[in-house]
Amino acid sequence: MSLLNKKTVDDINVKGKRVLVRCDFNVPMKAGVITDENRINAALPTIKKLIADGGKVILCSHMGKPKGEPVPELSLAPVAEKLTEKLGVPVKFAADDCVVGENAKAAVAAMNDGDVVLLQNTRYRKEETKNGEEFSRELASLCDVFVNDAFGTAHRAHCSTVGVAAFVKESAVGYLMGKELKYLGNAVEDPKRPFVCILGGAKVADKLNVIENLLNKADTLIIGGGMSFTFLKAMGHQIGKSLLDESKVDYCRDMLKKAEEKGVKLLLPIDSVCSKVYPDPIDAKLDVNVVNSDDIPADEMGMDIGPKTVELFSQEIANAKTVVWNGPMGVAENPQLANGTLGVAKAMAANEDAITIIGGGDSAAAVNQLGFGDKMTHISTGGGASLEFLEGKQLPGIECISEK
């Protein structure tokens, strides 16, 4: 994969140069306060490196979906404050609703080596998500070098992730992006074997191409979560009121056949934690019982994998040398329905000989919440991007970066 041969921040000389860094500061906010700083912390090594090397560091990011107009609660001003605190140097916030306005131009013109400026939310401009040339040129006019360190948006061709690179002579990936390429890239292209891939989450439709691609790569494919019931249905089992994508039953049947032909072990739940109702609110106490997954009562729905399945999946994980996991095993936001997700996290944490990778999104949140974050080799910062990577797709935000 050509992705692994991109220039990184270690390959470029930025002294005295203006460096535009696309970060992922799309952090959750409540009443103007940042409630989860993970993405900001993840960006710090690249920013510190560029400051130390004497670059003039101009940061940009999107936050939320302002849909091409200024939305005060999605301003990046609180991020500038948080960065000032964490970097120990003042981060000047350029408060232009048009992003590249008088404030930004003046702030960049006044920069000394090692200074840091943060631009306003790039999605305040409607051209951003359409990769419009004018806004791409405006961003490029501020810099000499472009660094993309936002893996979470690498699958999107936007002005600040792709368009700008066309108008800048030199570009590179940051440390965070480099780490994603190293771990996810190697897991997909050259895994240490046995390679076990675990897929969960609600919808089969979201993971169709991933399943297909991984059947060509993995030794074992483990399927849990809501998507497993369409597979169980395809095998002729009774799944009660469990989540079902009727239009994908034939597809699941084909995948089961393909796995058999390729000699890939495909594991599905053998028991399920069931209830008659979906929890509302999400953490409401439920009457649950554990039944065999091939015979779920007609008036109940499967909401998590059962204890026998946790044991089955855990044994497989224990023998692996590479494990990639994307998607929870059940409705993990509810404590009664989180044991499957917890069990998989525990099994991965216990296998110290394996490279363990969490593919972003809900599984990353679950692993961090359950306290296993520091036990994993790598937790991806991009849910959608890591999925597309596992599908074997080229990611435009990486494709556009200069080769070594």
Side-chain angles (χ1 to χ4, degrees), residues 2-252:
S2 61
L3 300 182
L4 304 177
N5 200 35
K6 297 296 181 182
K7 273 191 181 177
T8 76
V9 284
D10 288 325
D11 301 315
I12 57 177
N13 173 16
V14 298
K15 178 136 184 67
K17 292 178 184 171
R18 300 167 305 161
V19 188
L20 179 70
V21 189
R22 176 48 158 103
C23 300
D24 183 359
F25 295 143
N26 184 24
V27 290
M29 305 269 289
K30 220 174 199 165
V33 177
I34 298 164
T35 55
D36 181 346
E37 299 173 5
N38 272 336
R39 286 178 168 172
I40 293 174
N41 293 335
L44 297 176
T46 294
I47 300 169
K48 286 177 177 171
K49 157 81 174 162
L50 296 168
I51 293 171
D53 288 356
K56 298 172 180 178
V57 185
I58 305 148
L59 307 172
C60 71
S61 175
H62 79 286
M63 185 192 281
K65 294 181 177 172
K67 308 233 166 104
E69 55 187 56
V71 177
E73 50 274 27
L74 295 175
S75 165
L76 289 185
V79 175
E81 286 175 30
K82 188 54 73 179
L83 284 165
T84 297
E85 180 192 308
K86 287 179 179 286
L87 291 167
V89 299
V91 175
K92 186 167 178 55
F93 181 57
D96 295 310
D97 288 346
C98 64
V99 187
V100 184
E102 293 314 310
N103 290 323
K105 289 173 188 169
V108 171
M111 290 178 94
N112 295 312
D113 295 2
D115 282 355
V116 186
V117 167
L118 173 64
L119 304 181
Q120 184 53 284
N121 188 337
T122 55
R123 287 192 191 169
Y124 275 16
R125 289 283 292 266
K126 62 180 186 297
E127 308 97 308
E128 159 75 335
T129 55
K130 299 180 177 70
N131 198 11
E133 185 176 320
E134 186 189 349
F135 183 38
S136 297
R137 283 184 182 276
E138 285 175 34
L139 287 168
S141 73
L142 295 177
C143 67
D144 308 300
V145 180
F146 171 61
V147 171
N148 194 350
D149 208 23
F151 182 72
T153 51
H155 57 315
R156 310 251 186 247
H158 292 172
C159 296
S160 67
T161 58
V162 172
V164 60
F167 305 108
V168 178
K169 283 207 176 103
E170 192 168 26
S171 56
V173 296
Y175 288 135
L176 184 61
M177 190 80 106
K179 195 175 171 209
E180 298 279 6
L181 296 183
K182 177 183 165 189
Y183 285 112
L184 274 175
N186 286 339
V188 174
E189 292 307 309
D190 189 18
K192 290 189 170 143
R193 296 188 182 278
F195 175 26
V196 173
C197 204
I198 308 158
L199 295 176
K203 300 190 200 105
V204 177
D206 293 346
K207 309 256 162 87
L208 292 182
N209 300 337
V210 181
I211 295 166
E212 204 139 352
N213 191 40
L214 290 173
L215 280 177
N216 296 316
K217 315 263 185 194
D219 299 297
T220 302
L221 191 55
I222 291 175
I223 294 177
M227 62 187 284
S228 64
F229 297 108
T230 305
F231 278 91
L232 292 166
K233 180 79 173 174
M235 294 168 75
H237 297 328
Q238 300 301 319
I239 61 164
K241 293 194 300 181
S242 304
L243 199 62
L244 170 66
D245 186 341
E246 199 69 71
S247 67
K248 299 289 181 283
V249 172
D250 287 343
Y251 168 85
C252 290

